[in-house]
Amino acid sequence: MRDVREVIIRPVVTEASAMLQEERQTYTFIVAKDSNKIEIRHAVQELFGVTVAGVRTANYPGKVRRVGRSTGRKSGYKKALVKLVEGDSIDVYEGV
Amino acid sequence: MATEAPELTVNVEKPGAWARRLTITVPADRIAREKKDAVQRLSKRVKLPGFRQGHVPSAVMERKFGPAIEQEAVEKVINDAYREALESEGLQPISQASVENVNYEPGSDLKFDVELEVRPEIELERIGGFTVLREQSPVADQQVDEVLQRLRDENAAWRTKEDSTPVAGDMATVEITPLDDATEAEPSKPRRYEIVIGEGQALQAVEDAIITLKMGESAEFEVDLPENPEEPAGPTKPHRMHINVVELKTPEYAPLDDEFAKSLGDFDSLAVLRERIAEDLGRETEKEAERGVRMQIVQQIIDANPFEVPQSMVRGYLDQMMPTREGADPAKLEELRMQMWPMAETALKRSMVVDRIAEMEALRPTAAEMDARIDDMAERMGRPRGEVIAQLRKAGRLVELEQEITEEKVFDYLKSLSDIQ
């Protein structure tokens, strides 16, 4: 199994993620594109010492960008919404 | 907000006569609230990627700006607490306070010391029963004569004097050309001066040369001039110069008669002019005498109730009197300050005595008294009252006027308590 730091790339710190944290105990991360929910669950549990109740993921393909005649594509990313069990929490702002 | 704030604990020590050391303790919850306020204030301004402006959660703010917020909150609490402590203890600081030993751990009470000097409370036990000499001499005829002579001097007609050399009192228009550095190719330019002989307007050596020439005459001289112009009595050095007397005039005084009096203005005769001069001189000596009486009274009060003035107060007074100019020599400035120190101390003592008596006897001017004085001024100046008030306010002179009336009332009161001879 690969290193947990390769699975979890960074937390997402935005207004929406802050609201999810507060209201649903759900933390948002950008994760490796080829990771799966099981890997993400283990990685979060190992990295932050918490118990994960559920993982949902979403793939965001990169957007097409044009520069003059040539077209290109921004790199996409995979986002994971990780719900923790009642009472657990993560300090995602560390190092923000 | 200050009213709902939890009580401060203030402990006052007196290490010196005017020095105060305040130990202030601020409860932790007040700092917490201040911190919350600071977060809210800051979050309205701050822009963070991922958040709309003004919508950054406080947890994020604290994470990102924690130390700065805490410092801002603590500084504000210290300032507010210091002001509240001064108010609750009724202290009037006269110097910049210094905050020391700030002791704060997040979540615990904030404790700090403030050192300051306060305006001394002076106790005046005896302010009357003194004997004061009013020194007012009547106006002597000789003083009137002196003023008349000055008026004649000022109104003298100047007559051209062609046939003789100048004497003291004559006015010579001269052109002086320095010859020391002049060459044939580049002659020095002459400079023109108007000199009244015998009044010290020119260096003595130059004047000695001028009085050997008649109008229209010129000559070359070797004149000993001081090497340093600021030290006329110092070592001298010979200089060559060409002096040309362009014009020579002698004063012609009008005869001291009724005509002369009429020419000066609204005076029918010389006798009327003399009378008016005597009146003016009389008013001046009266003012002088009043100043003397006031000074004696204050001095006697200070002698009867000795008190000290804090050094910082004198220093502050001197700072106000002589603001530091850029480029001034600090050593010289300090020397000058030392020379002025006793004068500043006396002036401060005087104003403290006047203030204290005004306070003790409730002698500050009432609104009606201020109004009456302003009406007076408006009438004298022939201008509407509103305009006069606006002008006074603009020039910041209303406070001065108040002080003036207070002094008058205080001294009237003090004079009634003492024996003025």
Side-chain angles (χ1 to χ4, degrees):
Chain A
M1 208 164 155
R2 61 176 150 175
D3 185 45
V4 289
R5 280 172 207 83
E6 285 174 33
V7 178
I8 308 290
I9 297 170
R10 62 181 167 86
V12 176
V13 183
T14 62
E15 232 179 290
S17 74
M19 198 179 68
L20 280 176
Q21 268 176 41
E22 247 171 62
E23 293 176 6
R24 305 191 194 168
Q25 272 204 302
T26 301
Y27 293 79
T28 314
F29 299 94
I30 302 295
V31 295
K33 270 197 95 108
D34 55 354
S35 56
N36 60 38
K37 291 181 178 178
I38 298 161
E39 277 179 317
I40 294 167
R41 171 192 293 266
H42 286 143
V44 169
Q45 290 189 155
E46 195 177 314
L47 257 180
F48 303 108
V50 290
T51 310
V52 172
V55 178
R56 286 178 295 151
T57 58
N59 257 309
Y60 290 83
K63 290 176 181 175
V64 177
R65 286 281 180 256
R66 298 177 63 101
V67 179
R69 280 190 309 176
S70 49
T71 57
R73 188 177 277 277
K74 285 179 77 172
S75 50
Y77 57 93
K78 187 176 200 169
K79 189 161 90 174
L81 302 173
V82 180
K83 190 175 171 67
L84 304 186
V85 295
E86 199 74 29
D88 279 7
S89 69
I90 298 175
D91 184 4
V92 288
Y93 302 124
E94 201 173 339
V96 168
Chain B
M1 196 190 119
T3 45
E4 19 172 295
E7 283 300 310
L8 304 170
T9 327
V10 184
N11 182 27
V12 186
E13 287 170 59
K14 285 188 190 177
W18 314 289
R20 296 286 181 277
R21 172 191 278 271
L22 309 181
T23 305
I24 303 175
T25 312
V26 187
D29 47 353
R30 178 155 171 187
I31 298 162
R33 220 189 26 230
E34 203 56 62
K35 234 159 97 176
K36 216 168 127 192
D37 284 350
V39 166
Q40 268 176 0
R41 268 200 310 276
L42 193 62
S43 78
K44 281 194 184 120
R45 290 200 310 264
V46 88
K47 278 185 183 169
L48 268 189
F51 297 91
R52 286 169 297 161
Q53 193 170 357
H55 290 262
V56 184
S58 51
V60 179
M61 290 293 298
E62 268 175 48
R63 262 291 174 195
K64 199 153 173 70
F65 306 107
I69 288 172
E70 192 149 295
Q71 197 180 344
E72 191 183 317
V74 168
E75 269 171 26
K76 187 161 186 300
V77 167
I78 286 178
N79 270 332
D80 290 352
Y82 168 59
R83 258 200 302 276
E84 278 169 43
L86 286 185
E87 208 168 298
S88 67
E89 300 298 321
L91 299 172
Q92 284 188 326
I94 51 165
S95 63
Q96 189 82 31
S98 67
V99 176
E100 286 166 1
N101 306 332
V102 178
N103 193 345
Y104 173 66
E105 291 290 327
S108 65
D109 290 355
L110 165 72
K111 207 170 165 188
F112 64 96
D113 295 340
V114 185
E115 288 200 358
L116 66 148
E117 284 194 323
V118 293
R119 197 181 166 85
E121 272 290 305
I122 54 173
E123 287 308 324
L124 301 177
E125 280 171 10
R126 185 177 163 212
I127 57 170
F130 305 117
T131 308
V132 178
L133 214 59
R134 191 182 181 92
E135 288 165 359
Q136 186 175 0
S137 47
V139 180
D141 278 352
Q142 194 200 340
Q143 283 172 289
V144 179
D145 289 342
E146 276 168 18
V147 174
L148 276 174
Q149 187 51 45
R150 216 168 41 237
L151 285 171
R152 283 178 80 199
D153 281 350
E154 283 166 10
N155 290 285
W158 292 94
R159 186 174 55 83
T160 309
K161 182 179 180 182
E162 287 174 0
D163 43 0
S164 57
T165 51
V167 292
D170 288 355
M171 182 160 66
T173 307
V174 294
E175 276 178 354
I176 299 179
T177 319
L179 299 174
D180 287 345
D181 304 324
T183 58
E184 241 171 72
E186 220 178 303
S188 313
K189 282 190 186 149
R191 290 181 71 176
R192 195 177 263 254
Y193 300 92
E194 257 184 15
I195 297 163
V196 177
I197 306 294
E199 306 253 304
Q201 291 178 0
L203 288 165
Q204 192 54 46
V206 177
E207 235 177 54
D208 288 345
I210 293 172
I211 56 172
T212 61
L213 300 172
K214 288 184 194 167
M215 181 168 158
E217 286 181 344
S218 65
E220 264 184 48
F221 295 90
E222 194 168 274
V223 178
D224 289 332
L225 298 181
E227 277 177 35
N228 183 359
E230 283 178 20
E231 275 182 63
T236 58
K237 211 174 135 186
H239 287 271
R240 279 194 324 116
M241 57 179 67
H242 180 265
I243 299 179
N244 176 22
V245 177
V246 182
E247 204 174 15
L248 200 56
K249 285 176 173 177
T250 190
E252 202 162 66
Y253 298 111
L256 207 51
D257 55 13
D258 291 353
E259 282 311 307
F260 174 68
K262 280 180 192 161
S263 75
L264 288 180
D266 201 10
F267 309 105
D268 292 338
S269 65
L270 186 61
V272 175
L273 177 61
R274 288 192 76 100
E275 207 172 290
R276 182 70 69 83
I277 292 173
E279 256 173 47
D280 283 354
L281 286 173
R283 255 200 300 278
E284 237 161 74
T285 51
E286 198 166 312
K287 261 191 204 162
E288 193 57 41
E290 175 67 21
R291 256 200 298 276
V293 167
R294 288 183 177 192
M295 229 161 71
Q296 286 179 60
I297 293 181
V298 170
Q299 196 52 51
Q300 297 208 39
I301 291 176
I302 294 172
D303 290 345
N305 311 277
F307 63 92
E308 295 285 311
V309 184
Q311 295 211 343
S312 59
M313 217 166 152
V314 182
R315 222 170 287 127
Y317 180 83
L318 284 172
D319 283 345
Q320 236 178 14
M321 295 291 290
M322 23 196 265
T324 320
R325 246 175 297 144
E326 246 178 81
D329 180 6
K332 260 196 178 154
L333 206 71
E334 196 50 42
E335 197 188 313
L336 197 65
R337 286 170 74 100
M338 280 301 118
Q339 277 173 14
M340 288 178 68
W341 192 275
M343 189 274 305
E345 219 169 25
T346 315
L348 276 173
K349 278 186 177 175
R350 178 185 193 277
S351 90
M352 280 161 74
V353 164
V354 172
D355 272 357
R356 182 76 185 117
I357 293 169
E359 205 177 294
M360 275 161 53
E361 307 295 332
L363 293 173
R364 301 254 177 235
T366 59
E369 281 168 330
M370 285 290 281
D371 282 350
R373 182 63 64 99
I374 291 168
D375 283 343
D376 253 17
M377 285 176 79
E379 207 183 302
R380 261 209 316 275
M381 291 155 82
R383 286 167 54 187
R385 179 188 147 80
E387 207 176 288
V388 174
I389 294 181
Q391 196 191 352
L392 286 174
R393 188 165 294 145
K394 202 171 157 199
R397 285 213 46 225
L398 272 178
V399 186
E400 250 174 66
L401 191 68
E402 195 183 328
Q403 189 63 26
E404 203 180 294
I405 303 176
T406 309
E407 282 210 4
E408 276 170 28
K409 289 177 75 175
V410 166
F411 282 108
D412 282 348
Y413 174 70
L414 288 177
K415 279 191 285 186
S416 73
L417 296 180
S418 282
D419 180 18
I420 315 288
Q421 294 179 344

